[in-house]
Amino acid sequence: MLSFPFPRSGVLRCRGRDLAYGQRTLVMGIINVTPDSFSGDGIGGAVDVAVERAVRMVAEGADLIDIGGESTRPHARPVSDSEERARVVPVVEAVARAVSVPISVDTRKPKVAEAALAAGAHLINDVAGLQRDPEMASVVATFDVPIVVMHSPGEPWDVPWPATYADVVDDVRAYLDRSIQIALRAGVPFGQVIVDPGFGFGKSVDDNLTLLRRLGEFRSLGAPVLIGTSRKSTIGTILGVPVDERLEGSLATLPLAIAQGVDIVRVHDVRASARVVRMADAVVRGFVATGDR
Ligand code: HH2
């Protein structure tokens, strides 16, 4: 069983689709309604494909679905509010009807977040950690939903990439602490904030490996921790493989994160990841899931 300094569990209130964390690791399945996502999984605005994918992911073990309408890969083309909204909203509406798990929307833009929440989304995943636009925290507070605050040293298209850090863990933790303060000042309850160190965002291979090696240190922030390593270029660099051959490398990161108390893992390959998570949870947390997924 985990013996962390302060055992922690709780419930994220997701507008009736609440998520309990702490007992086992939650799996977030990724659906990119983009033409240009780094891993080649983007499906443009194809609503029927998104629904089919979401239904399959839930059957394979996804506890929540993350829908994104703008690629965050380095040198991606920035997308306007209206274009991103037009991609995301119909997919949120259809996926929320088709599955019963919470739908997260991966956006840095308050207008997109607002439209997606009005369309039935259950939480927001902000890769700018509420530090890009002050309106974002107010939107999240108004709809009373959870928020993932992720660390990124700036926009992929206008910062030196990777950035430089005095100590990557301390610097990222300080940034996430600021994000938490922004959320609290806007009226978002602490229990609704999830922190994410932003693996692959403005970090060198060494920085990413350090973040994963010292992931447990983010627990000192007191919020649930999410990490997204799936198919990222650090894995490609270590293994010397293209993006469509990064499954094993991605899976290898999951038990390492789980052994350090991560609460949510963000993955493209839900079936394989959910199996690895269940096995790791059985060993690390002493949690044995019943049922055959
Ligand atoms: N990574 C990506 C996008 N959103 N959100 C969180 N919270 N954490 C992450 O690590 C994270 C994220 C990048 O992956 P992907 O969505 O597959 O690619 P793209 O941004 O190119 O669509």
Side-chain angles (χ1 to χ4, degrees):
M1 296 286 280
L2 289 176
S3 56
F4 294 120
F6 34 90
R8 195 199 46 202
S9 60
V11 176
L12 296 162
R13 289 183 292 97
C14 304
R15 309 174 94 186
R17 298 191 186 183
D18 296 357
L19 278 174
Y21 65 89
Q23 190 184 26
R24 64 182 181 83
T25 309
L26 301 174
V27 176
M28 172 188 258
I30 304 167
I31 296 185
N32 282 317
V33 288
T34 53
D36 58 348
S37 282
F38 84 91
S39 82
D41 67 324
I43 54 174
V47 176
D48 49 341
V49 179
V51 167
E52 195 188 300
R53 205 169 272 195
V55 168
R56 192 178 66 234
M57 283 180 169
V58 172
E60 291 174 348
D63 297 291
L64 65 166
I65 300 288
D66 191 39
I67 295 172
E70 178 186 55
S71 174
T72 57
R73 75 186 157 80
H75 316 298
R77 182 179 70 82
V79 176
S80 70
D81 280 17
S82 57
E83 189 175 354
E84 189 177 334
R85 210 166 38 211
R87 287 178 184 174
V88 165
V89 166
V91 173
V92 167
E93 278 169 353
V95 171
R97 269 198 306 273
V99 300
S100 57
V101 302
I103 312 300
S104 147
V105 172
D106 182 348
T107 185
R108 307 168 299 127
K109 304 193 183 97
K111 289 216 161 46
V112 176
E114 191 169 24
L117 289 165
H122 304 90
L123 63 153
I124 297 297
N125 171 21
D126 180 3
V127 300
L130 297 177
Q131 298 190 31
R132 177 180 180 263
D133 188 326
E135 269 305 297
M136 188 60 126
S138 321
V139 169
V140 171
T142 304
F143 281 86
D144 193 19
V145 290
I147 172 79
V148 179
V149 291
M150 196 201 80
H151 170 267
S152 177
E155 309 283 353
W157 34 87
D158 65 18
V159 289
W161 202 258
T164 48
Y165 303 95
D167 175 291
V168 69
V169 173
D170 290 349
D171 292 3
V172 170
R173 196 167 39 187
Y175 174 103
L176 293 175
D177 195 38
R178 278 197 300 282
S179 298
I180 292 172
Q181 300 312 320
I182 293 169
L184 297 182
R185 273 201 301 278
V188 179
F190 182 67
Q192 294 284 78
V193 183
I194 301 151
V195 295
D196 179 344
F199 188 96
F201 283 79
K203 288 141 190 131
S204 66
V205 169
D206 267 357
D207 293 332
N208 287 318
L209 297 177
T210 302
L211 284 181
L212 188 53
R213 192 177 302 126
R214 296 172 53 193
L215 188 65
E217 295 181 35
F218 292 96
R219 290 176 58 90
S220 66
L221 291 165
V225 178
L226 183 152
I227 194 160
T229 54
S230 189
R231 299 184 186 172
K232 290 208 173 141
S233 66
T234 288
I235 294 166
T237 304
I238 301 285
L239 299 182
V241 292
V243 75
D244 59 344
E245 291 181 34
R246 297 183 188 163
L247 175 62
E248 299 89 341
S250 302
L251 296 177
T253 65
L254 300 177
L256 299 169
I258 291 169
Q260 296 180 73
V262 79
D263 296 286
I264 307 175
V265 290
R266 182 177 181 277
V267 302
H268 298 92
D269 303 287
V270 170
R271 185 174 138 110
S273 301
R275 287 181 174 173
V276 169
V277 163
R278 279 173 69 185
M279 197 62 219
D281 275 352
V283 176
V284 175
R285 302 184 191 264
F287 180 85
V288 178
T290 51
D292 186 24
R293 292 206 282 216

